[in-house]
């Protein structure tokens, strides 16, 4: 080929790329430092599984587009080697001859290497053809299907054109050499107008390229050669143009996606980073208060919109989509790189960076999140959206004192009385006045601390759940005690509403007290308590075996420590609502379902949005204590789905919206009819409150909301063991 043209193309494109990337990298270096080089074996394993292996791309709800994306991804990985070869060919005529002519004498000395090269060419042809199929699929999807989660943009079509061009020019380049080889074999002069097409031109190691060669043969060897040279330089030009376009748009993830998967957090999504308050880390005011990993997250957002599919704020019309947040922050940073890096503002003078809220984002966007975790569960490149928003809330609360006014009383209640309602601490054990419960530290030996929680102690409905759980544990002979009046809030809501100081005060007080008492294992009936004590207390020295009540009950049933015999109405239809902080954040999906299926007479039916795709009740992230002023209520959307699920179970002719219809996600939440009788089982006091409110608001009195514990206690055979205590079961607290 032509070394001068190849060299000029390469030098020019690489220079432009370095200039662009210097700004992108400079921003990351200017942001807060964070250690992401721990747990290297785990990170490598995740990179292989989710980065190179693309496991999340083929999650059930997006299997087909994910599969076609993998075709394109595989083509890029395999053709990267071919592109390097083509650059080498551009500089070396010898390399061109050897790599395009497999009958070249250079191959005679290395038959195994020749076979390996042929196998590579076969893989190259195969994935390039599949990539073209992927391009066709995505063009059709964007042009005709127009899924709700996809933003329509010229950039997407341009990139698809780049990809198709790379594949086609590769076939053209290879096909031209097949024409030349065939012409030489037929001893036809280069200037001939036509070369006979024969089946002998087909080779097994390049089937698609062979077809391209056959198609080019009627054009003649000279024309085919010209097209091959054009294909070669167009291919190199496209790949270099593509390289320089990547840092300018959403396809930057092609460069940053794999590193972002490698640098993902190594713990549960339910655990938030803990700032050092002594070093005055009071949250994110400006983009420089975000970490370099937060910046890499922004660069890696593919804008695929998977985060929207089951996002409660997006579905119900709130001013928050995580895709939108990523775009707004990313483009603000890109527009102000020098400001972030060097402190020079738009007018060329040194000036402080503006606060994120007010410049890149609106306050209502930051406060809308329920921290349900769907966005992070769905993201193929493991973008961490929730911690970033919580860090912005921390600054708003702890520095600016600007937050939704209704949560002021919640903070005051936690500070003064150890609970968000602000009810007197001396009333914390009133729910159990007639139960004669043992208190930890009364001189007895107990295996489990039963952490009742604020709702279990003060909320009238949840008090019944607390009593039901005591009934079950006593029947099974579980060795437990409570903290009685000494119990205090675990601090979950304070942390997620941005009051990190209050959270850390409560957490440190609890851990210090429990450790002094010798607590080793904790039973909770609230997923928020479960998550906080299990995942966040260890940072303060609170290393406990933490067990959710559904896990405990499931183990008691398996060990035959309790027996279930009847349900009030045989054949009752029941569906189960997954709490986000039990299911998505901690992987507990099976235990609640196994318990429900053990209750005689119940017919358990699943909602369309269940398990990993479960839909939030709207109470997480501190939203339990805030009003919804924008859009429709999240709990109403979920209760509509409950009603539709029970109605369909009762009358199968009642249609379900197609779950595979991507044009409008969440349609099951639009059901407005009054049909459907039965039970929705819950395993969280927040979910119970939200669904009960939605039931009353929507007039669906025929639907009962019951905690799993209540259903088990009502069905359980009792033997009046009283206070008899048998050896406690060994209960697993690991995610399922």
């Amino acid at each position: 080929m032509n070394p001068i043209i190849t060299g000029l193309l390469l030098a020019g494109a690489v220079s432009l790329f370095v200039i662009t990337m210097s700004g992108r990298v400079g921003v990351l270096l200017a942001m807060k430092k964070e250690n992401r080089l721990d747990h290297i074996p785990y990170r490598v394993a995740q990179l292989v599984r989710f980065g190179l292996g693309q496991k999340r791309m083929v999650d059930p709800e997006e299997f087909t587009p994910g599969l076609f994306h993998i075709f394109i991804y595989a083509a890029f990985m395999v053709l990267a080697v071919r592109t390097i070869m083509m650059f080498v060919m551009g500089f070396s005529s010898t390399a061109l001859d050897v790599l395009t002519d497999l009958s070249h004498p250079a191959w005679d000395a290395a038959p195994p290497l020749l076979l390996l090269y042929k196998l590579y060419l076969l893989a190259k042809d195969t994935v390039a053809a599949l990539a073209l199929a992927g391009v066709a699929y995505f063009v059709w999807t964007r042009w005709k299907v127009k899924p709700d989660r996809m933003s329509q943009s010229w950039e997407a079509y341009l990139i698809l054109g780049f990809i198709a061009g790379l594949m086609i020019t590769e076939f053209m380049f290879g096909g031209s050499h097949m024409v030349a080889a065939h012409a030489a074999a037929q001893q036809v002069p280069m200037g001939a107008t036509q070369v006979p097409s024969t089946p002998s031109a087909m080779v097994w190691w390049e089937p698609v390229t062979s077809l391209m060669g056959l198609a080019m043969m009627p054009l003649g060897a000279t024309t085919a050669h010209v097209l091959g040279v054009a294909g070669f330089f167009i291919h190199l030009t496209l790949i270099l143009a593509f390289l320089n376009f990547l840092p300018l748009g959403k396809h930057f993830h092609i460069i940053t996606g794999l590193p972002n998967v490698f640098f993902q957090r190594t713990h549960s999504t339910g655990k938030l980073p803990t700032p050092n308050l002594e070093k005055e880390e009071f949250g994110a005011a400006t983009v420089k208060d975000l970490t370099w990993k937060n910046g890499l997250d922004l660069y890696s957002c593919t804008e695929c919109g998977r985060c929207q599919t089951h996002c409660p704020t997006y579905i119900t019309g709130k001013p928050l989509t995580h895709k939108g947040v990523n775009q707004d922050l990313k483009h603000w940073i890109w527009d102000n790189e020098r400001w972030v890096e060097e402190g020079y503002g738009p007018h060329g003078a040194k000036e402080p960076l503006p606060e994120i809220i007010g410049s890149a984002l609106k306050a209502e966007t930051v406060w809308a999140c329920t921290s349900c975790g769907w966005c992070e569960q769905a993201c193929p490149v493991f973008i961490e959206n929730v911690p970033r928003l919580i860090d912005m809330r921390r600054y708003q609360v702890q520095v600016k004192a600007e937050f939704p006014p209704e949560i002021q009383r919640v903070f005051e209640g936690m500070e003064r009385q150890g609970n968000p309602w602000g009810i007197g601490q001396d009333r914390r054990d009133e729910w159990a006045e007639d139960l004669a419960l043992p208190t930890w530290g009364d001189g007895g030996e107990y295996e489990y601390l039963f952490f009742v929680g604020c709702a279990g102690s003060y909320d009238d409905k949840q008090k019944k759940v607390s009593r039901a759980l005591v009934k079950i544990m006593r029947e099974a002979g579980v060795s437990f005690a409570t903290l009685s009046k000494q119990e205090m809030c675990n601090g979950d809501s304070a942390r997620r509403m941005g009051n990190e100081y209050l959270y850390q005060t409560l957490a440190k007080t609890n851990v210090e007290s429990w450790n002094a008492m010798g607590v080793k294992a904790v039973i909770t009936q609230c997923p928020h308590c479960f998550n906080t004590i299990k995942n966040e207390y260890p940072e303060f020295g609170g290393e406990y075996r933490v067990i959710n009540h559904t896990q405990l009950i499931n183990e008691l049933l398996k060990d035959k420590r309790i027996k279930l015999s009847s349900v009030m109405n045989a054949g009752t239809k029941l569906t189960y609502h997954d709490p986000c902080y039990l299911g998505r954040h901690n992987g507990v999906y099976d235990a609640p379902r196994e318990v429900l299926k053990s209750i005689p007479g119940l017919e358990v039916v699943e909602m369309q949005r269940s398990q990993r795709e479960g839909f939030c009740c709207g109470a997480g992230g501190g939203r339990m204590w805030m009003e919804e002023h924008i859009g429709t209520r999240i709990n109403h959307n979920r209760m509509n789905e409950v009603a539709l699920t029970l109605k369909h179970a009762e009358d199968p002719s009642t249609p379900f919206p197609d779950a595979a219809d991507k044009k409008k996600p969440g349609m099951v939440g639009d059901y407005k009819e009054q049909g459907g009788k039965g039970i929705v089982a819950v395993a969280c006091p927040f979910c119970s409150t939200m669904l009960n409110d939605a039931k009353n608001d929507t007039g669906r009195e025929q639907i009962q909301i019951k905690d799993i514990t209540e259903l088990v206690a009502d069905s359980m055979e009792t033997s009046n063991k009283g206070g008899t205590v048998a050896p406690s079961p060994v209960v697993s607290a690991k995610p399922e």
Side-chain angles (χ1 to χ4, degrees), residues 394-471:
R394 286 170 176 159
Y395 176 75
Q396 293 298 109
V397 170
Q398 297 178 127
V399 178
K400 300 200 71 177
E402 293 180 1
F403 46 82
E406 59 266 31
I407 64 177
Q408 178 63 46
R409 63 177 179 80
V410 179
F411 291 152
E412 292 174 353
M414 290 183 180
E415 290 169 357
R416 298 172 183 174
Q417 299 294 344
N419 68 83
W421 286 278
I423 301 173
Q425 184 73 14
D426 60 335
R427 298 179 57 190
R428 189 150 194 130
D429 62 350
E430 285 184 357
W431 67 273
E433 279 182 340
D434 59 333
L435 296 180
L437 295 181
T439 302
W440 200 286
D442 63 3
E445 293 289 332
Y446 306 104
E447 185 169 0
Y448 297 105
L449 168 64
F450 173 28
F451 185 78
V452 183
C454 299
S457 300
Y458 293 111
D459 181 80
D460 287 339
K461 182 168 178 56
Q462 201 64 24
K463 289 177 187 178
K464 298 175 183 177
V465 179
S466 302
R467 295 176 69 90
L469 187 53
V470 167
K471 176 182 176 181

Side-chain angles (χ1 to χ4, degrees), residues 457-655:
S457 300
Y458 293 111
D459 181 80
D460 287 339
K461 182 168 178 56
Q462 201 64 24
K463 289 177 187 178
K464 298 175 183 177
V465 179
S466 302
R467 295 176 69 90
L469 187 53
V470 167
K471 176 182 176 181
I472 293 167
M473 290 194 291
R474 280 184 162 172
E475 179 65 27
V478 176
S479 171
F480 75 96
T482 72
L483 292 172
S484 189
K485 289 183 173 63
Q486 303 308 309
E487 184 179 282
M488 292 177 59
C489 182
N490 67 83
D492 160 81
S493 290
R495 166 166 261 201
R496 281 154 182 81
M497 290 189 294
N499 197 334
E500 182 69 17
Y501 177 81
L502 176 55
Y503 162 73
Q504 289 197 23
T505 300
L506 291 167
K508 290 174 181 177
T509 300
N510 283 333
V511 168
E512 183 179 347
S513 174
W514 298 359
N515 287 352
M517 295 177 181
V519 172
K520 301 296 181 186
V522 181
I523 294 170
T524 69
Q525 60 172 314
C526 171
H528 297 266
C529 301
F530 173 72
N531 177 75
T532 297
I533 299 169
K534 176 177 181 285
N535 295 318
E536 298 184 328
Y537 273 25
E539 285 199 79
F540 303 97
E543 300 279 354
Y544 315 111
R545 184 161 58 94
V546 188
I547 303 151
N548 174 261
H549 66 310
T550 64
Q551 294 173 310
L552 174 68
I553 295 170
N554 193 39
E555 291 296 327
L556 295 176
L557 286 167
K558 288 181 177 179
D559 294 343
K560 303 190 186 315
R561 301 283 294 277
I562 57 176
K563 183 179 179 182
L564 308 184
S565 60
S566 63
V567 68
M568 186 177 299
N569 296 309
T572 298
K573 306 291 190 297
L574 177 145
T575 191
Y576 172 62
H577 166 78
D578 286 280
C580 301
Y581 275 77
L582 185 62
R584 192 171 292 131
H585 286 303
N586 286 285
V588 181
Y589 295 114
D590 295 338
R593 288 171 169 80
E594 290 173 4
V595 171
L596 290 170
K597 289 174 182 176
S598 299
I599 301 175
L602 286 179
E603 181 185 335
V604 181
V605 293
E606 289 282 5
M607 283 189 268
Q608 195 178 89
R609 300 176 293 189
S610 64
Q611 300 196 52
R612 65 175 295 280
E613 295 182 67
F615 194 71
C616 182
C617 72
R623 293 294 318 180
M624 171 74 178
W625 315 104
M626 301 180 225
E627 288 296 326
E628 285 188 60
H629 300 292
I630 304 172
T632 59
R633 290 185 178 271
I634 295 170
N635 58 340
H636 289 189
N637 185 285
R638 187 54 159 172
M639 179 51 68
N640 291 341
E641 182 177 6
V642 169
L644 176 57
T645 302
L646 294 175
K647 176 63 177 177
H648 182 79
E650 179 184 285
D651 178 10
S653 66
T654 303

Side-chain angles (χ1 to χ4, degrees), residues 57-105:
M57 290 306 302
V58 288
D59 280 341
E61 69 277 0
E62 299 288 353
F63 179 83
T64 302
L67 184 63
F68 279 103
H69 183 279
I70 287 177
F71 291 163
I72 294 175
Y73 162 79
F76 267 97
M77 297 298 284
V78 174
L79 261 72
V81 177
R82 183 64 169 174
T83 299
I84 294 172
M85 290 181 188
M86 292 177 75
F87 274 109
V88 173
M89 294 179 213
F91 287 107
S92 169
S93 59
T94 301
L96 176 65
D97 292 340
V98 172
L99 293 172
T100 57
D101 181 6
L102 273 59
S103 63
H104 194 282

Side-chain angles (χ1 to χ4, degrees), residues 199-445:
S200 63
M202 291 291 293
V203 293
W204 65 266
W205 56 87
E206 285 188 290
V208 184
T209 301
S210 295
L211 291 174
M212 179 64 81
L214 289 172
M216 294 169 69
M217 280 182 185
L219 301 175
T222 300
T223 303
H225 175 72
V226 171
L227 289 175
V229 172
F232 177 87
F233 283 110
I234 291 173
H235 185 95
L236 296 190
T237 302
L238 282 175
I239 200 69
L240 293 173
F242 196 9
L243 177 69
N244 278 278
F245 191 77
L246 293 181
L248 305 178
K250 66 180 184 178
H251 288 83
F252 200 8
H253 75 273
I254 292 175
I255 296 174
T256 62
L258 291 179
N260 209 55
V261 172
F262 177 81
F263 289 121
Q264 66 182 270
R265 58 182 157 208
T266 57
H267 51 74
S268 164
T269 58
K271 177 184 176 183
L272 292 174
T274 298
N276 189 330
L277 298 181
E278 293 181 0
K279 293 184 178 180
E280 298 187 347
E281 295 178 352
F282 296 135
T286 72
V287 294
K288 286 187 72 170
D289 295 318
L290 301 175
T291 70
W292 65 264
K293 175 58 172 64
N294 295 148
L296 191 64
D297 281 342
L298 300 178
Y299 291 177
S300 302
C301 180
T302 70
E303 300 177 26
C304 66
R306 290 184 177 214
C307 55
Q308 295 178 180
T309 309
H310 298 306
C311 173
T313 59
Y314 176 74
I315 296 297
T316 59
K318 308 295 187 294
L320 167 65
T321 70
H322 293 286
K323 180 177 78 171
V325 167
N326 290 335
Q327 288 178 284
D328 291 343
L329 284 172
K330 177 176 67 178
H331 289 296
W332 191 93
I333 289 173
W334 286 0
D335 291 341
N336 298 279
E337 279 184 346
R338 190 163 181 247
W339 203 355
V340 177
E341 286 183 71
E342 303 170 21
Y344 291 97
H347 304 295
K350 284 267 189 177
E351 55 183 293
L353 284 170
E355 294 177 1
I356 296 172
I357 296 178
S359 59
L361 301 176
K362 296 179 179 179
E364 55 262 34
T365 300
V366 173
W367 286 103
C369 183
T370 68
S371 72
C372 74
W374 166 252
C375 55
E376 298 182 16
Q377 178 78 57
C379 182
V381 291
F382 289 80
I383 292 172
E384 297 162 20
N385 297 295
V386 175
R388 190 174 56 210
L389 292 177
I390 298 300
D391 220 26
M392 295 176 200
R393 290 183 180 183
R394 286 170 176 159
Y395 176 75
Q396 293 298 109
V397 170
Q398 297 178 127
V399 178
K400 300 200 71 177
E402 293 180 1
F403 46 82
E406 59 266 31
I407 64 177
Q408 178 63 46
R409 63 177 179 80
V410 179
F411 291 152
E412 292 174 353
M414 290 183 180
E415 290 169 357
R416 298 172 183 174
Q417 299 294 344
N419 68 83
W421 286 278
I423 301 173
Q425 184 73 14
D426 60 335
R427 298 179 57 190
R428 189 150 194 130
D429 62 350
E430 285 184 357
W431 67 273
E433 279 182 340
D434 59 333
L435 296 180
L437 295 181
T439 302
W440 200 286
D442 63 3
E445 293 289 332

